[in-house]
Structure formats: C-alpha cells, structure tokens
Amino acid sequence: MNTAALPIGIFDSGMGGLTVLKELAQRLPHEDLLYLGDTARLPYGTKGQETIIRYTLKAARKLVDMGVKMLVVACNTATAAALPSLRAHFAAIPVLGVVEPGAQAAVAASSNKHIAVIATEATIAGGAYQKAIARLCPEAVITGRACTLFVPLAEEGWMDGPLVEGIARRYLEDILPLTGCGEKTHNEPDTLLLGCTHFPLLQDAMRNILAPQVRIVDSAATTADCVAAELRLRKMARPTPGGEHRFLTTDNPARFARTGSLFLGQSLAEGRISLVDL
Ligand code: DGL
C-alpha cells in the first residue's frame, strides 16, 4: 500500500487537540485525519513524567497499529514529556509535537524577547517550552506559569465573564502587564504563549484583562504549517483527495462529542466517535 494514502494520526490527552486538528483540516483539506483522545486518562497535565510517557506510548501504539503515515502529538503535556521516547519507539514514521512550533510562534511574535508561557503543571515543571525558546533565542527571558484551572474551565465551556477573568487575573497579574496598569515598560513580557491545547478557548477572557501590547500566540497554526512542510519534504502528501476525519476516544463518546464541539468550533456528532481501548 502507498504510505502517502494513509491518514495522519493526531493524539491528545482529550479533546483539546481538536484545536490542532481544526488547523490541520484547514491547511491540508485533502488529508485524512485520525484523531485519538485519551479521555479515560485525562488530565495528563497533573501527572508525573513517567506516567505521561507510559500513557502516550500506549496511545501512539494504537494509532500506529491502525496505520498512520505520521504522528502529530497535539498535546503540549505529552509532547513536553514524551517526544524523545515516541521518536525512539516509532522511528519508522515522522513524529511531530506542538512545543517546537509554539516556541517558534512566540519568538517570532515577541519584539523584546521576553515571553510568558502558560501551560499545565507538568509542562511548566519539565521546562520543555523554556528550553525550546532558549534554543531558538538564547537571549530570551522566559517566565512560566502553570494555569491548572484553565483546563476544567474550558471543558465546562466557561470561557468568558467576570469569574473566568478573575481566575485569569489571579494567574497572570504578577507575570504580565494588565489593562490600565499605566506606562509600558521594556522588561515586561510582550508575548503570552498558550502552551496548552485548552487555553485558546479562554483567549478572549485573557485579552480583556491583559494590556493591549501583549500578543497572545498558540501553537496550533504553526504546528499545521510544520506538518505541511514535513509532508512536502518527505513527499508524503496524499496522492488523491481524501479529507475524511475519524475520531477515537477511550471513554464516553457522548462527552467527547459535547466538549469536542467547543474545541472544534462546530458540532461534532456522537455517531462519528468510536470508543477504543488501549
Ligand atoms: N492536552 C493537555 C495539554 O495540551 C491539556 C489537558 C491535560 O492536562 O491532559 O497540555
């Protein structure tokens, strides 16, 4: 079989990676996409590194056994903890994560190279974003902050309003300039990198409280660009138009459909989601 005709496998701990799938679908409309959300084990972001690696390898094995030509790790936490292990285990196919593209987007957006990164506890503790940004721009100043509550808020569909803005303020007020904070100073971050799949959903609430000079970037669009470039480079683009999207979850397809619709920005029917065991 022609490998190029296989789908691209996309993995996330849950539904958050659908923000990456959405960008991939726009950027690569002819490609088939096979998405796996490990909702039975979600959240990954509060777990230890070894557990995250173990879960991620199992999920990736499922996708590889089903037949994918490339693996996109759409989960920041899984990328941060498990990318080297994934590349070692599945050396026959390209494995792309979201951390490097996110770091590229942040460095490109920042003028003063002072960047604030927000992510899950595990991603911040592991320092993957800090290291990736420093590799691209050694003089960058990076401030990291775990914003654990943003994950359940996004899944609950609580994306705006005073309560969400209050929580965002609590997490961000001592690392970024807020609205009405007076003169802009050069040593404050001018860029906020959303280093978690869930955080783009809360972007409007963050925008409302942050000073206007702060740019907000995430890795979804840059990751889609990297996947497109990799397909071109390896001559792996689908030879005939496809565009089929299939969804797998390890628990509760009804909840996946409901919450997934928020991340996808369009309705996702429960009937399109298959329950799988890892
Ligand atoms: N997908 C995870 C990430 O991007 C967030 C949810 C979780 O903690 O599993 O970091």
Side-chain angles (χ1 to χ4, degrees):
M1 185 191 183
N2 182 359
T3 323
L6 292 172
I8 298 171
I10 305 165
F11 163 69
D12 180 48
S13 57
M15 318 82 175
L18 292 171
T19 52
V20 176
L21 176 133
K22 194 171 146 189
E23 291 291 338
L24 279 172
Q26 268 167 23
R27 188 83 177 66
L28 301 164
H30 294 324
E31 294 293 336
D32 287 345
L33 305 177
L34 178 61
Y35 182 97
L36 169 61
D38 188 14
T39 48
R41 294 168 188 82
L42 177 85
Y44 280 23
T46 50
K47 308 236 164 28
Q49 173 124 349
E50 292 199 347
T51 306
I52 298 166
I53 294 175
R54 188 156 40 85
Y55 288 176
T56 304
L57 288 176
K58 270 198 145 190
R61 164 59 58 205
K62 183 82 188 175
L63 285 170
V64 171
D65 287 351
M66 288 180 79
V68 293
K69 62 180 171 185
M70 178 188 280
L71 195 59
V72 178
V73 189
C75 176
N76 295 262
T77 306
T79 303
L83 197 64
S85 309
L86 283 168
R87 287 188 169 147
H89 275 77
F90 305 103
I93 57 167
V95 182
L96 271 69
V98 286
V99 169
E100 200 65 41
Q104 281 167 19
V107 170
S110 176
S111 306
N112 68 1
K113 305 303 174 210
H114 191 168
I115 296 162
V117 184
I118 56 170
T120 63
E121 227 176 288
T123 304
I124 294 297
Y129 267 111
Q130 294 90 321
K131 288 177 206 149
I133 294 170
R135 268 196 304 275
L136 293 169
C137 179
E139 74 275 19
V141 179
I142 307 143
T143 309
R145 170 65 43 92
C147 296
T148 310
L149 283 179
F150 284 180
V151 171
L153 280 177
E155 289 193 5
E156 194 63 18
W158 291 12
M159 297 183 257
D160 51 19
L163 189 63
V164 180
E165 287 179 20
I167 294 169
R169 187 177 291 274
R170 175 94 185 251
Y171 279 128
L172 304 179
E173 64 191 349
D174 58 342
I175 59 165
L176 283 155
L178 301 189
T179 43
C181 277
E183 279 300 287
K184 146 180 181 183
T185 61
H186 186 72
N187 56 13
E188 286 171 321
D190 68 352
T191 300
L192 171 62
L193 171 56
L194 309 182
C196 173
T197 49
H198 286 55
F199 297 180
L201 270 70
L202 306 181
Q203 184 159 337
D204 288 350
M206 289 185 247
R207 182 72 282 163
N208 284 345
I209 63 152
L210 289 173
Q213 72 269 20
V214 178
R215 291 184 201 121
I216 304 180
V217 295
D218 69 68
S219 54
T222 336
T223 299
D225 289 343
C226 290
V227 172
E230 191 75 16
L231 287 179
R232 265 197 315 274
L233 185 78
R234 295 183 182 246
K235 302 197 185 340
M236 283 174 86
R238 218 189 126 83
T240 52
E244 191 198 358
H245 300 166
R246 288 164 61 207
F247 302 91
L248 312 171
T249 183
T250 51
D251 187 41
N252 201 342
R255 186 167 200 277
F256 185 99
R258 204 170 56 242
T259 314
S261 304
L262 296 171
F263 287 93
L264 214 48
Q266 65 185 64
S267 159
L268 181 60
E270 188 187 332
R272 292 180 63 196
I273 302 153
S274 310
L275 186 63
V276 291
D277 198 17
L278 300 183

